[in-house]
Amino acid sequence: MHPTITAFESSPDRGRGQARDMRVRWALEEVGQPYNVRLVSFKAMKEPAHIVLHPFGQIPTYEDGTLTLFESGAIVLHIAERHAGLLPDDANARSRAIVWMFAALSTLEPPVVELGMAMLFERDRSWYAERLPMLQDRVRVRLGELSRRLGAADWLDGAFSAGDLMMVTVLRRLHTSGLLDEYPDIAAYVARGEARPAFRRAFDAQLAVFTAASRS
């Protein structure tokens, strides 16, 4: 039996690989674990059958036998702990990789998502032009700190890990903001992640869902 994950039946990101099931797909591809996908509509996400899996009515969820998980970070950590390839063997390096997972989700993602939501939904507000630079600067602070830490390295802490996987998926949300252009080292870091064969397989799988939905 293969694990089953849930994903949007009609993705709001229009197939750009930004929905959070992308993180889980990528992790499964990196470790070579086949998986099934169950697509859910926005309506179905709020119905009891899905709420049992995800109390907040979101995606992704992960089901494997009697185990059910929600929250993309927790799912990726579960995958990384049970399959070789996403966490180092050395105990200290393993812990550092997990730290970077938390940093991506807790430190980088909140200002990145806040900026993205403003750019999507607040452009017609009278205060948008005044608020936008503040949101951009909050992201710039984090990008500057990350840039100083990354330096000339390919990855955050030695070899590619689940920490890089989570960080790249967060940073990809900035593609349309123009901010990555201000930090060539981070832009190159994101590009390295996107060039990984496992990422391409996961991206193509998520894009195929949107393409099929748009044709129907």
Side-chain angles (χ1 to χ4, degrees):
M1 293 289 291
H2 300 323
T4 297
I5 68 170
T6 51
F8 288 124
E9 183 180 79
S10 181
S11 181
D13 75 344
R14 303 181 65 81
R16 293 196 298 268
Q18 294 180 359
R20 287 179 173 87
D21 65 289
M22 177 66 189
R23 301 164 177 178
V24 179
R25 292 175 186 268
W26 187 5
L28 290 165
E29 293 288 354
E30 285 284 353
V31 302
Q33 171 62 58
Y35 61 98
N36 301 311
V37 179
R38 184 171 66 255
L39 303 178
V40 293
S41 66
F42 290 107
K43 180 177 182 293
M45 287 165 55
K46 303 305 179 182
E47 294 177 347
H50 188 74
I51 295 297
V52 168
L53 306 177
H54 197 310
F56 304 108
Q58 299 175 326
I59 60 97
T61 61
Y62 172 98
E63 299 168 79
D64 190 7
T66 60
L67 176 67
T68 299
L69 300 174
F70 62 96
E71 291 297 330
S72 61
I75 297 170
V76 170
L77 180 57
H78 170 81
I79 294 166
E81 287 182 328
R82 283 155 181 76
H83 300 272
L86 284 175
L87 289 175
D89 293 331
D90 175 76
N92 288 346
R94 191 180 187 92
S95 294
R96 290 194 300 271
I98 294 171
V99 165
W100 280 113
M101 292 182 66
F102 279 81
L105 296 176
S106 299
T107 303
L108 269 294
E109 189 165 47
V112 168
V113 168
E114 187 176 16
L115 172 62
M117 295 297 283
M119 293 175 66
L120 279 174
F121 300 114
E122 299 177 5
R123 289 182 180 273
D124 60 344
R125 304 290 185 175
S126 60
W127 34 259
Y128 175 74
E130 183 177 354
R131 185 168 184 256
L132 183 63
M134 177 188 68
L135 297 177
Q136 292 172 325
D137 286 343
R138 287 178 183 173
V139 174
R140 286 188 180 100
V141 168
R142 295 308 187 198
L143 292 179
E145 293 163 341
L146 182 64
S147 176
R148 287 192 291 274
R149 178 56 185 260
L150 181 65
D154 284 346
W155 307 112
L156 291 169
D157 194 272
F160 176 85
S161 76
D164 295 294
L165 186 153
M166 296 305 292
M167 189 66 75
V168 168
T169 60
V170 169
L171 294 172
R172 290 188 71 249
R173 292 177 172 270
L174 295 172
H175 272 319
T176 59
S177 72
L179 292 179
L180 288 180
D181 297 336
E182 300 177 19
Y183 301 86
D185 54 339
I186 296 182
Y189 167 69
V190 172
R192 280 191 293 276
E194 293 173 329
R196 293 181 69 84
F199 175 91
R200 298 311 312 174
R201 291 192 297 271
F203 182 90
D204 289 345
Q206 195 184 65
L207 177 61
V209 174
F210 173 78
T211 302
S214 65
R215 287 174 179 169
S216 61

